[in-house]
Amino acid sequence: MSVRLHVWGERACFTRPEFKVERVSYDVLTPSAARGILEAIHWKPAIRWHIDRIHVLRPIRFQSIRRNEVGAKASAANARSAMKAGHTNGVGLIVEDNRQQRAATILVDVAYVIEAHFTMTAKAGAEDNAAKHASMFNRRAEAGQCFHRPCLGTREFAAEFALLKPDAPLPESSFPAEPKQIDLGWMLYDVDFANGASSRFFRARIVDGAVAVPPADSPELAT
Amino acid sequence: MNSSAAVQNRHEFVLYFDVTNGNPNGDPDAGNLPRLDPETNCGLVTDVALKRKVRNYVALARPDMPGHEIYMSEGATLNNQHKKAWSAVLPDVTKADELKKLPKEEAKSRELTRWMCANFWDIRAFGAVMTTGVNAGQVRGPVQFSFARSVEQILPLEIAITRMAATTEADAEAKGGRTMGRKHIVPYGLYRAHGYVSAPLASHAVKGTGFSTADLELLWEALCNMFDHDRSAARGEMSTRKLIVFRHASALGNAQAQSLFDRVKTFRVYQGSRHEIGSPATGNWPVARKWEDYEVTIDRDGLPETVEIIEPH
């Protein structure tokens, strides 16, 4: 059961794990973020979404934004000694005293088409079948319904979405046609929660305006 | 309607607020200049700046009211709050190592998170990551803000000011007892922000934070009044001008968010004529310096019957 979903927004931040302190976004939507968007519309433990292809519809452009964030974590050692003393003095984390100003290099004006399909998982019950979940997803996406508002990487960058009918053409794209192939390097594929939440990566290339995403069991994936 | 029941309807909202001779949100990257979108020169106010004001308003408007504590308060002690949850739910757990991880039994950890949600208004609304040293889980709140953007380009001004005193004696001697400083202001800016309330994150049996209809009313109240309690030298005059709420009949929603947002339009008005923002007809008009230079319209034609427009005050 495959679906196509058009998603867009003013800003997006698909944080590169190697630059997560001062966040830097990947150039395009990652498969794991795309999966999160689909799951925000419809997901049950009986199904698992697989991303097949991500069409990039806008030129890749970045902007920087710096915000005040909470910086530190309290140490367990402090907590232990305070607990021995029987009070909570000194364990605390005072927001105003633990400021970190963090810059984020984010994408602006993004639009994608996510091509995806789902498979049934071992948790599927007798009443679950692919047609039911496909029609639920299509019905919700078409009516603009969602379980929670999908986002483009982080929650402050809300995503708008619209279902693309099976025979409908792709939305208008302003992504430059040349060069025909752009190598984006190694990109996060998804976090493998079954295996100790390890990250898996793939070699992302935009070919003719779209990133082909390998299947989850592909030998192209590296951890 | 039972006001303590979790929110069952999806909502979207459009918030208009303006600033006169003030700095709505300074950019730490640009020497505290008002935030600007460098491509359009439109002003920005981040989601976190707005959420800070909502939190401050709730803390101010509902002091000592049970369930209305603010977790991320200015000068708050986060782990003391986590501790409160632990001692309420699991008074026997005292070892730091045990506190670092969530309780093994899922039910216990859920109880802990639920306790935090029940006591802290901002956790119910915005969620919180409570994994700082002493772990109390992680929740996603139903309320979500996006960046606010000014409807037209803004012009930040730098105002130099003098102070008739110096901080140190050395300064006093060198500068004759006077120092200079600078303020950044936006002469006028009308900002528009979009927000979302995802009902399942409030009312879902497992994932819901229990954000209630009374909490939602308080959110509207905060959005309407928050700037009235955030006066400072830097902010100038800020006020909420319009709050338009779209209430869907169902939890998942009954219309696409963008189709609802598109119904709210901003126009420039001048001497009785009205044009859409950016229209060439407004090219030789004087710049907007007050709320009356704008008009906001809501297109109610063909609105699905399952979506209701509310304008809370």
Side-chain angles (χ1 to χ4, degrees):
Chain A
M1 290 290 172
S2 65
V3 298
R4 289 192 304 163
L5 190 74
H6 180 202
V7 297
W8 67 96
E10 283 183 28
R11 298 173 192 86
C13 183
F14 311 109
T15 309
R16 289 174 181 267
E18 66 272 30
F19 293 132
K20 64 184 176 186
V21 175
E22 300 254 347
R23 286 181 280 270
V24 177
S25 176
Y26 278 117
D27 293 19
V28 300
L29 175 73
T30 61
S32 84
R35 178 177 58 80
I37 290 172
L38 298 174
E39 287 175 354
I41 297 169
H42 175 70
W43 178 78
K44 285 279 190 304
I47 65 170
R48 178 185 296 144
W49 285 104
H50 303 273
I51 310 300
D52 301 320
R53 186 175 289 275
I54 294 165
H55 297 269
V56 187
L57 305 180
R58 296 276 179 275
I60 296 164
R61 291 183 303 141
F62 291 92
Q63 257 179 29
S64 165
I65 188 133
R66 186 179 293 268
R67 284 172 287 188
N68 289 330
E69 300 180 14
V70 173
K73 288 183 182 179
S75 81
N78 281 355
R80 194 177 296 122
S81 58
M83 244 172 295
K84 273 195 193 130
H87 56 71
T88 55
N89 305 346
V91 214
L93 192 67
I94 294 166
V95 175
E96 299 300 299
D97 294 350
N98 283 286
R99 275 284 177 241
Q100 265 188 5
Q101 292 193 332
R102 290 190 182 184
T105 305
I106 62 171
L107 294 166
V108 288
D109 186 23
V110 299
Y112 306 101
V113 169
I114 303 168
E115 282 183 25
H117 70 280
F118 63 83
T119 53
M120 307 305 286
T121 66
K123 287 187 180 155
E127 74 288 356
D128 285 305
N129 62 65
K132 174 184 128 180
H133 288 289
S135 71
M136 276 179 88
F137 178 86
N138 287 331
R139 198 169 59 233
R140 286 187 184 183
E142 196 169 0
Q145 296 184 319
C146 51
F147 184 85
H148 60 86
R149 175 58 34 188
C151 65
L152 295 161
T154 54
R155 285 195 81 196
E156 60 269 36
F157 307 132
E160 305 289 4
F161 61 89
L163 185 71
L164 267 194
K165 291 278 176 56
D167 46 356
L170 283 177
E172 193 190 338
S173 167
S174 57
F175 189 77
E178 293 292 334
K180 292 191 94 55
Q181 179 165 333
I182 303 167
D183 193 339
L184 299 177
W186 288 96
M187 186 159 104
L188 179 72
Y189 176 77
D190 211 331
V191 178
D192 189 357
F193 293 100
N195 292 310
S198 61
S199 301
R200 304 171 79 202
F201 295 87
F202 75 112
R203 192 71 191 242
R205 288 180 186 84
I206 303 178
V207 180
D208 291 329
V211 179
V213 181
D217 55 3
S218 162
E220 289 174 45
L221 295 181
T223 50
Chain B
M1 196 192 296
N2 179 4
S3 66
S4 63
V7 172
Q8 300 282 352
N9 307 76
R10 191 178 106 182
H11 295 75
E12 267 96 36
F13 57 90
V14 181
L15 174 74
Y16 281 97
F17 60 92
D18 65 356
V19 58
T20 309
N21 293 333
N23 183 356
N25 188 200
D27 186 346
D29 255 352
N32 208 35
L33 227 72
R35 289 187 190 275
L36 272 182
D37 178 336
E39 288 177 350
T40 60
N41 275 352
C42 285
L44 293 177
V45 173
T46 59
D47 59 313
V48 281
L50 295 172
K51 291 200 297 199
R52 175 78 266 152
K53 290 184 190 10
V54 171
R55 286 183 164 112
N56 287 353
Y57 178 83
V58 171
L60 197 71
R62 302 286 189 278
D64 309 321
M65 190 169 156
H68 288 69
E69 284 185 62
I70 294 296
Y71 177 73
M72 285 283 176
S73 55
E74 287 174 345
T77 306
L78 299 184
N79 280 358
N80 280 357
Q81 318 285 31
H82 297 167
K83 275 281 176 46
K84 280 194 206 167
W86 278 98
S87 54
V89 179
L90 294 169
D92 340 326
V93 181
T94 49
K95 290 208 187 83
D97 292 341
E98 292 175 64
L99 290 172
K100 269 202 288 191
K101 288 185 197 133
L102 275 178
K104 284 244 163 58
E105 315 93 285
E106 213 181 319
K108 280 283 183 202
S109 90
R110 205 171 285 159
E111 199 183 333
L112 200 62
T113 318
R114 206 175 292 140
W115 187 91
M116 292 298 281
C117 285
N119 281 279
F120 294 93
W121 189 89
D122 59 332
I123 295 183
R124 282 203 298 286
F126 305 129
V129 180
M130 295 175 271
T131 45
T132 46
V134 177
N135 200 332
Q138 181 170 350
V139 268
R140 194 161 39 169
V143 182
Q144 193 175 340
F145 283 86
S146 51
F147 283 12
R149 202 181 55 190
S150 65
V151 297
E152 288 192 287
Q153 298 176 349
I154 57 162
L155 175 75
L157 294 181
E158 186 176 326
I159 309 287
I161 50 173
T162 57
R163 184 173 67 164
M164 305 308 286
T167 316
T168 62
E169 258 179 66
D171 268 2
E173 279 166 26
K175 295 171 186 164
R178 289 201 303 179
T179 44
M180 292 195 78
R182 55 192 56 177
K183 297 179 86 155
H184 296 288
I185 63 162
V186 178
Y188 184 79
L190 177 66
Y191 288 74
R192 172 175 171 156
H194 290 174
Y196 308 84
V197 181
S198 300
L201 295 182
S203 54
H204 191 269
V206 180
K207 293 177 181 162
T209 63
F211 186 74
S212 69
T213 44
D215 292 331
L216 190 67
E217 289 305 319
L218 180 52
L219 174 69
W220 305 145
E221 183 188 323
L223 290 175
C224 290
N225 299 318
M226 59 191 186
F227 296 114
D228 292 332
H229 302 280
D230 188 56
R231 302 287 177 214
S232 76
R235 298 275 174 255
E237 288 171 49
M238 292 186 72
S239 53
T240 297
R241 289 298 183 171
K242 218 171 181 51
L243 174 63
I244 301 149
V245 177
F246 297 96
R247 172 178 290 161
H248 299 251
S250 68
L252 292 175
N254 299 79
Q256 293 177 330
Q258 67 269 23
S259 71
L260 298 177
F261 288 141
D262 288 348
R263 289 176 175 274
V264 181
K265 287 203 166 68
T266 327
F267 293 88
R268 274 300 309 277
V269 288
Y270 177 60
Q271 292 184 344
S273 40
R274 188 180 91 164
H275 287 288
E276 263 197 72
I277 283 184
S279 155
T282 65
N284 58 353
W285 286 13
V287 292
R289 281 292 180 262
K290 56 184 186 299
W291 166 240
E292 287 72 26
D293 292 335
Y294 291 104
E295 189 180 326
V296 172
T297 63
I298 310 168
D299 178 10
R300 295 166 196 266
D301 288 346
L303 185 76
E305 279 176 21
T306 44
V307 177
E308 188 188 349
I309 295 178
I310 310 164
E311 290 182 67
H313 289 291

